[in-house]
Amino acid sequence: MKRLVVLTGAGMSAESGFATFRDSGGLWENYDVMEVASPEGWVRDKGLVNQFYNERRVQLRDSVPNGGHLALAQLEERFEVHIVTQNVDDLHERAGSSRVLHLHGELTKVESCSNSALVYDIGYRQVGLEERAEDGGQLRPHIVWFGEAVPAIEEAVNICLTADIFVIIGTSLAVYPAASLTEYVKAGAPIYLVDPHKPKINHDLDYHFINKRATAGIQELISLLV
Ligand code: APR
């Protein structure tokens, strides 16, 4: 089976009702990113940050995978599909995708502030600031904040290196190191990009542009691939 590697971003979940970050009306228009998504913001106001992620978790609980998530899961019948996502939602998994790597963490998990290896699955529940990990550390969202290292990047690079076909869906490619993953696709592997807007890419990338939203764009992609 050919290896189909799919890099997804916020646009993948837009049709499930999730605002993207940088589009007009996006999340970073309504929130100060450095207040709710940085280690400094957490130190400044843990209550605000905790509330932000508690709200996101409720929203996720009430959302469902869209046709694009479902179609990518079904592609496993024909390809060895590896999804590398910048999204912190679990909609790829709920759609049935079996190989999903989260670059920026997961909303349904928390970790100890004093040991990031202590990670707990909490589902969609609200977390209180008084809650502690087994080592006594305060629980924080299991989210990679701005300025923090991306622990999964090495695994993601290795996945991208082995792609026979590479697909990019719904990301502005504005955030590094995730955006640099496109540089690891081997020469000759076709690249498809599904997005209603062409992202700015600051290196040469030869790709087939599918100028559509995720659900419709993935259908077009499938018609080209199979
Ligand atoms: N289908 C496909 N793509 C869409 C759709 C849709 N229905 N709606 C919007 N898009 C596209 C936009 O055109 C844009 O290119 O999705 C992209 C969203 O870009 P961003 O908002 O920048 O989201 P993303 O690239 O995932 O952000 C990367 O930044 O804020 C951090 O950690 C956060 O993982 C996130 C990272």
Side-chain angles (χ1 to χ4, degrees), residues 8-12 14-15 20-23 28 33 86-87 104 144 146 169-175 194-197 199 212-215:
T8 65
M12 182 74 228
E15 290 162 88
T20 57
F21 296 102
R22 295 174 185 78
D23 289 305
W28 297 153
V33 48
Q86 296 165 85
N87 298 345
H104 294 162
V144 175
F146 281 95
I169 305 172
T171 173
S172 62
L173 294 170
V175 170
V194 177
D195 201 301
H197 304 285
K212 290 186 173 159
R213 299 195 297 174
T215 50

Side-chain angles (χ1 to χ4, degrees), residues 136-148:
Q138 178 158 26
L139 293 180
R140 57 158 273 183
H142 181 57
I143 300 284
V144 175
W145 285 327
F146 281 95
E148 292 188 316

Side-chain angles (χ1 to χ4, degrees), residues 31-82:
Y31 291 90
D32 179 342
V33 48
M34 293 314 276
E35 268 183 17
V36 296
S38 76
E40 296 81 4
W42 171 248
V43 169
R44 213 173 303 127
D45 191 342
K46 294 190 172 75
L48 176 79
V49 176
N50 197 48
Q51 187 193 341
F52 176 77
Y53 289 100
N54 277 341
E55 286 169 6
R56 302 276 83 70
R57 235 174 265 121
V58 170
Q59 190 190 2
L60 179 56
R61 182 196 65 196
D62 297 338
S63 307
V64 290
N66 62 50
H69 294 108
L70 295 169
L72 288 180
Q74 280 165 10
L75 271 181
E76 292 193 7
E77 289 169 11
R78 294 168 182 267
F79 297 94
E80 184 184 316
V81 181
H82 291 259

Side-chain angles (χ1 to χ4, degrees), residues 108-144:
T108 53
K109 293 179 179 168
V110 289
E111 64 186 52
S112 168
C113 276
S114 42
N115 178 1
S116 61
L118 290 176
V119 177
Y120 304 92
D121 212 323
I122 52 154
Y124 308 104
R125 77 169 177 83
Q126 306 286 286
V127 180
L129 280 181
E130 72 292 349
E131 293 187 48
R132 294 284 178 274
E134 66 213 83
D135 66 345
Q138 178 158 26
L139 293 180
R140 57 158 273 183
H142 181 57
I143 300 284
V144 175

